[in-house]
Amino acid sequence: MHMHTLERYWLMAVFGMLGAFGAALLASVFIFGISLPSPVGRVDPRQLDQTEFASPGVRNMGDNRYTAHIVAEMWRFNIGQGLGQPAEIRIPRGAEVTFFVTSKDVTHGFQIEQHDVNLMLLPGQIAQATARFNRTGTFHIICHEYCGPGHQTMYATIVVE
Ligand code: CUA
């Protein structure tokens, strides 16, 4: 079978690149340990009152470390304050917060402005992320998954003092 020389070079280039991409993927997984964010636990979204999410809120673990249990629901983030109040977390500068978040109803998003936290909240799954807040200011937690007519009003605030 006749094959043009240039055609052969292109084929070699294509398979060479595929091999390089495959090798990079394998290296990232097995050498650098990179993985997709995975749920750290499962809960029954209809019975959150029988789980660690029964009383959402921020806990001071000492040493400027905090945990925050948050329940996302249409259309607010429940951080332990009552309905009607804007959900707010106040922490001192330098605080390290580990977020445990789940959804009570539909898929929501959880993204913290200017910080490296971006989670998808699926009912039944607990998502976890840790962030350090080194700058004072106000940062919003926003829902970035469309979740119904109130989606654009779904946010909470983190105040770093
Ligand atoms: Cu919750 Cu969009």
Side-chain angles (χ1 to χ4, degrees):
M1 191 184 79
H2 174 76
M3 189 182 263
H4 197 281
T5 312
L6 279 177
E7 204 174 8
R8 185 158 52 225
Y9 288 156
W10 276 112
L11 274 176
M12 283 162 60
V14 165
F15 284 106
M17 283 172 77
L18 279 177
F21 293 152
L25 185 65
L26 292 176
S28 68
V29 171
F30 293 108
I31 298 175
F32 298 104
I34 292 170
S35 65
L36 289 170
S38 53
V40 296
R42 296 187 183 275
V43 284
D44 182 345
R46 289 157 303 181
Q47 300 188 327
L48 289 182
D49 54 344
Q50 289 165 34
T51 69
E52 61 193 283
F53 293 96
S55 50
V58 179
R59 284 174 196 81
N60 188 341
M61 310 302 281
D63 214 15
N64 217 2
R65 289 165 185 269
Y66 296 80
T67 61
H69 284 78
I70 302 174
V71 177
E73 55 188 84
M74 292 187 273
W75 289 281
R76 67 179 193 129
F77 292 104
N78 181 352
I79 315 179
Q81 291 123 341
L83 268 173
Q85 282 171 279
E88 188 182 274
I89 294 175
R90 298 187 90 88
I91 44 171
R93 192 161 71 93
E96 186 184 88
V97 185
T98 300
F99 297 89
F100 298 90
V101 199
T102 192
S103 167
K104 199 174 180 176
D105 36 45
V106 300
T107 301
H108 295 280
F110 187 94
Q111 184 172 18
I112 302 179
E113 270 182 338
Q114 296 175 43
H115 291 80
D116 190 19
V117 175
N118 184 336
L119 302 169
M120 187 184 258
L121 310 177
L122 298 161
Q125 296 188 355
I126 303 171
Q128 183 194 325
T130 300
R132 186 181 287 280
F133 294 86
N134 285 326
R135 279 167 295 146
T136 55
T138 299
F139 306 97
H140 291 112
I141 301 171
I142 53 173
C143 176
H144 62 301
E145 291 285 336
Y146 182 73
C147 55
H151 162 68
Q152 75 279 2
T153 65
M154 183 166 171
Y155 74 98
T157 303
I158 298 173
V159 181
V160 184
E161 304 173 309

